Amino acid sequence: MSHWQHRPEPGWKKFEFNQPYAAGLKRLKEEVLAKTDFDPATLWQWGTMQAMAVIQILKDCEVAFGKDGQNVVYGALRKIGYDIGSQILDGCAPPADLGQAEYISYFTTVINRITYASLEAPRIEDENAATFDMSFRGKLNPSYRKKLRPSLGMIYTMSTIPKLNLVNHVNPVRSCSVLGKPVCTGGGIGVS
């Protein structure tokens, strides 16, 4: 079982999502990894190179164009986040019996474990709050603990996803929904 496939809560098995970039992932698994001696660790190296390129683009755009350059790069990153989130939720409906904190926690697990390729230790604290710790070298790192509070604070980073019907991470909201199901009122999905 892959690290992203397991959560102990019964609701996790009900949570529907799609793999982002599913066609390419299928091809990688079936045509490359299964039939060649390709070392998948090189994907980390390639991904790191891509991330470093984006960081350098941001720095160069900032030097050349100031705040406008920053805004161009941030806008591009938001478009990609929007696209990934849309792919993850496309055609999926939230189970009626999952609470808002539980649903957001599961969605965050997909973002953390698949999109960010991170090790994560999530917890649903109660019906109004969920948290997660990022794990490095097999140890939890409490300095990376994030609290997801569906009714408080600021919007979680991936909140530009259309099916979440949220606003970007710097704007508080009055209400939001996931696939048409209300998930919070009076605030956003908080990260503290």
Side-chain angles (χ1 to χ4, degrees), residues 7 14-15 22 24 41 61 84 100 103 107 118 120 122 131 134 142-143 153 160 162 169 173 178 184:
R7 281 194 59 166
K14 300 176 191 176
F15 181 74
C61 284
I84 290 170
Q100 61 187 18
Y103 188 84
F107 178 74
S118 296
E120 170 220 43
T131 59
M134 299 314 286
S143 66
T160 57
H169 68 281
V173 297
V178 176
C184 62

Side-chain angles (χ1 to χ4, degrees), residues 19-30:
Q19 290 288 343
Y21 308 112
L25 180 64
K26 181 178 185 217
R27 182 169 180 252
L28 172 70
K29 287 180 176 183
E30 293 175 2

Side-chain angles (χ1 to χ4, degrees), residues 50-67:
Q50 298 300 311
M52 296 306 294
V54 170
I55 291 168
Q56 192 61 51
I57 290 167
L58 173 60
K59 289 177 181 180
D60 291 353
C61 284
E62 182 179 28
V63 169
F65 307 110
K67 187 174 180 173

Side-chain angles (χ1 to χ4, degrees), residues 94-150:
D97 60 340
L98 289 186
Q100 61 187 18
E102 189 174 16
Y103 188 84
I104 296 299
S105 179
Y106 297 153
F107 178 74
T108 302
T109 288
V110 173
I111 297 298
N112 285 339
R113 292 183 182 179
I114 296 174
T115 306
Y116 290 128
S118 296
L119 300 175
E120 170 220 43
R123 286 169 307 287
I124 298 169
E125 305 291 344
D126 58 40
E127 64 187 31
N128 296 310
T131 59
F132 65 89
D133 289 319
M134 299 314 286
S135 176
F136 298 97
R137 295 186 208 114
K139 298 178 182 175
L140 292 181
N141 187 338
S143 66
Y144 285 87
R145 176 169 289 169
K146 301 293 182 190
K147 293 182 181 178
L148 305 170
R149 296 185 185 144

Side-chain angles (χ1 to χ4, degrees), residues 155 164-167 172-177 182-188:
I155 301 300
L164 288 177
N165 190 24
L166 305 174
V167 296
V173 297
R174 297 285 178 249
S175 65
C176 56
S177 63
V183 295
C184 62
T185 55

